């Protein structure tokens, strides 16, 4: 551990302490209920960026804060706006579908949480993951490599096969559906903060995906 790491450990400790305090005192519940979009933006921006910084330290050996970091932080926040809306849409929509007999288990809280998690993660999460990957690649190419890049080029820079395999067939069924089921069992005003904290994990997962994309690219170049 480097000397600078001590300050970062302290910062993450403060973030954890503030999270617990705001949950216990009801601060998050009030903020999420009163200003849902603002809360979603801030919480996702903070926690997802914290996850990305941590994963960068683990993979690259040093902490990286640059223009790409700020760009991706704003991207995470915008993604949080969509998550906030999606949670409401899929929660209420799933309940209506169960009431209409389109899904089983109407009246059972666990069944409602599970099917809400399934619909949210199968219909919304892949799009969200793809947009975050495109924005992340754009930020790195534009601000780290200093190259002007179009949205189309950012889309083309993504290893879509790896993204689909990693997200759709691994993290969604094995991690996100089970963990979001727990989240949808919580009171509504705590679901966004729960998801925002998980966005820290999401930031790490997306960085791991980026590393896998680099390895695949290196293999392709070595075969040429």
């Amino acid at each position: 551990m480097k000397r600078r790491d001590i300050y970062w450990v302290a910062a993450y400790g403060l973030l954890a302490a503030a999270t617990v305090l705001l949950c216990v005192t009801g601060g998050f519940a009030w903020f999420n209920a009163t200003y849902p979009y603002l809360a979603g933006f801030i919480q996702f921006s903070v926690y997802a960026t914290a996850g990305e910084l941590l994963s960068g330290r683990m993979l690259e050996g040093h902490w990286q804060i640059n223009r790409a970091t700020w760009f991706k932080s704003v991207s995470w926040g915008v993604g949080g706006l969509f998550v906030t809306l999606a949670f409401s849409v899929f929660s209420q929509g799933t309940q209506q579908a169960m009431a209409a007999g389109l899904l089983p288990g109407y009246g059972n809280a666990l069944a409602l949480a599970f099917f809400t998690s399934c619909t949210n993660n199968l219909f919304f999460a892949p799009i969200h993951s793809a947009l975050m990957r495109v924005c992340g690649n754009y930020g790195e190419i534009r601000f780290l490599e200093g190259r002007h890049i179009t949205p189309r080029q950012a889309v083309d820079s993504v290893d879509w096969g790896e993204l689909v395999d990693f997200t759709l067939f691994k993290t969604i069924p094995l991690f996100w559906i089970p963990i979001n089921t727990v989240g949808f069992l919580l009171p509504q005003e705590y679901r966004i903060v729960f998801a925002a904290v998980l966005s820290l994990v999401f930031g790490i997962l997306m960085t791991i995906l980026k590393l896998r994309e680099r390895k695949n690219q290196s293999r392709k170049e070595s075969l040429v």
Side-chain angles (χ1 to χ4, degrees):
M1 179 179 289
K2 301 177 182 179
R3 184 175 181 179
R4 191 181 181 190
D5 292 337
I6 298 175
Y7 300 107
W8 282 99
V9 170
Y12 278 88
L14 288 174
L15 179 62
T19 300
V20 173
L21 179 63
L22 288 171
C23 285
V24 172
T25 60
F28 273 133
W30 174 84
F31 191 33
N32 287 316
T34 308
Y35 306 102
Y37 282 124
L38 179 61
F41 182 93
I42 293 176
Q43 291 166 37
F44 273 84
S45 179
V46 170
Y47 288 103
T49 302
E52 188 159 321
L53 289 172
L54 178 59
S55 62
R57 170 62 180 87
M58 296 167 60
L59 296 174
E60 306 293 341
H62 59 274
W63 301 93
Q64 301 181 64
I65 299 181
N66 45 54
R67 292 176 67 188
T69 305
W70 294 112
F71 176 84
K72 287 189 280 187
S73 180
V74 173
S75 299
W76 289 117
V78 173
L81 300 179
F82 290 107
V83 172
T84 300
L85 177 61
F87 270 27
S88 178
V89 169
F90 284 101
S91 179
Q92 297 181 41
T94 300
Q95 189 168 21
Q96 290 298 319
M98 294 175 73
L102 298 175
L103 291 170
Y106 179 67
N108 183 285
L110 180 59
L112 175 59
F114 173 72
F115 285 121
T116 302
S117 180
C118 286
T119 54
N120 181 77
N121 280 289
L122 292 176
F123 294 106
F124 170 74
I127 298 174
H128 178 258
S129 298
L131 287 174
M132 291 301 98
R133 180 74 267 144
V134 170
C135 289
N137 282 14
Y138 179 91
E140 291 179 5
I141 295 172
R142 177 67 180 86
F143 298 111
L144 293 185
E145 299 179 15
R147 293 192 286 127
H148 291 284
I149 180 174
T150 65
R152 174 59 184 270
Q153 290 172 323
V155 171
D156 291 340
S157 70
V158 176
D159 185 340
W160 291 101
E162 184 65 30
L163 178 66
V164 170
D165 176 67
F166 184 72
T167 301
L168 195 60
F169 298 117
K170 291 185 174 68
T171 61
I172 285 180
L174 300 178
F175 178 77
W176 290 115
I177 288 179
I179 199 70
N180 280 146
T181 298
V182 176
F184 284 115
L185 285 171
L186 298 174
Q188 186 172 354
E189 59 269 22
Y190 285 102
R191 293 175 184 176
I192 292 300
V193 64
F194 181 80
V197 172
L198 287 177
S199 70
L200 191 154
V201 180
F202 185 74
I204 295 175
L205 290 175
M206 294 303 285
T207 302
I208 294 173
L209 173 62
K210 181 65 178 180
L211 182 63
R212 291 178 56 163
E213 288 178 348
R214 290 177 182 173
K215 289 182 178 179
N216 288 341
Q217 185 63 32
S218 296
R219 289 197 200 100
K220 292 178 182 178
E221 292 176 354
S222 65
L223 293 175
V224 175

